[in-house]
Amino acid sequence: MSAYLLAELKKLQYQRSESSPFASHIEYMQWADKVTGLLSYDEKIANRFRYYVRAADFNSRGHYSNLDQVNETIGVLNQAIAALENKPSLISEVVSIQNPTANPSDNEPPKAANEQDSSNLWQRPIGATGIIVFGGLILAAAIYLVRTHLGLPL
C-alpha cells in the first residue's frame, strides 16, 4: 500500500512551469480531485492543496490567470512526494490507519489521568462560566423588558 500511494502520487506529478500543463480548467480540476484524495493521509498537506485549488478555481471563474495557483498546487504535490520519499516511516503510518467505524470504543485513545470528561459541561471551566454568564444575560434582558414594557419597578 505504501509503495502504491507513492507510485500513484508520482503518476500525477508535474513540474512548475510558465504555462499550465493542463489543456483546460476542467482537466486541472479532475487532476486536483485525484490528488486531493491521495493526499488525505496528511490533513495539513491536503488542506494546503485544497486552498490553492479553490484559489485557482476562483480565478478561473473570474477569467483571471490561475497559473500561480496551479504552480502552487503542483509544488504542494511535489513537496508531499519528497517528504514521503525521505520519510519511509511516514508511509507505514499512513497504511496503519484503522477504520474508525469498525469498533468505535476500541479506536478511542486512552484519556490522560488529568483529562476531564468533555461530555459534562460543569466539569469544564469554560462551560460553567458560559452557562452562568448566559443565564445572567437572560435575566438582565427579562428585567429590562419588564421595567420598560410593563412599567413595574424592579
Side-chain angles (χ1 to χ4, degrees):
M1 178 74 175
S2 61
Y4 173 77
L5 175 64
L6 189 57
E8 289 299 309
L9 287 172
K10 282 187 172 189
K11 285 181 193 175
L12 298 169
Q13 187 175 23
Y14 288 99
Q15 296 302 316
R16 295 179 192 233
S17 65
E18 293 186 17
S19 63
S20 179
F22 304 100
S24 68
H25 181 65
I26 296 295
E27 184 181 319
Y28 168 74
M29 293 302 290
Q30 291 171 341
W31 170 82
D33 290 341
K34 292 175 188 173
V35 173
T36 301
L38 293 171
L39 291 179
S40 64
Y41 72 89
D42 186 324
E43 186 177 342
K44 186 176 179 181
I45 292 173
N47 286 339
R48 201 167 133 222
F49 185 83
R50 277 189 226 109
Y51 170 80
Y52 287 116
V53 169
R54 282 189 293 252
D57 189 40
F58 178 79
N59 282 345
S60 179
R61 291 176 191 268
H63 304 291
Y64 298 108
S65 172
N66 64 354
L67 182 60
D68 290 338
Q69 291 79 25
V70 169
N71 278 328
E72 288 299 322
T73 55
I74 290 171
V76 170
L77 173 61
N78 292 342
Q79 292 165 12
I81 290 171
L84 287 174
E85 288 174 335
N86 292 330
K87 292 186 179 182
S89 62
L90 183 61
I91 297 174
S92 63
E93 290 174 18
V94 171
V95 175
S96 67
I97 294 174
Q98 297 177 359
N99 182 359
T101 59
N103 192 353
S105 62
D106 291 344
N107 293 331
E108 291 180 13
K111 292 184 179 181
N114 62 351
E115 187 176 341
Q116 296 174 347
D117 183 19
S118 63
S119 63
N120 188 346
L121 286 177
W122 291 107
Q123 289 181 351
R124 297 183 350 197
I126 192 70
T129 305
I131 291 171
I132 292 169
V133 168
F134 182 71
L137 289 174
I138 295 296
L139 181 63
I143 291 172
Y144 172 77
L145 288 173
V146 168
R147 288 184 70 187
T148 57
H149 293 292
L150 299 178
L152 298 176
L154 291 178

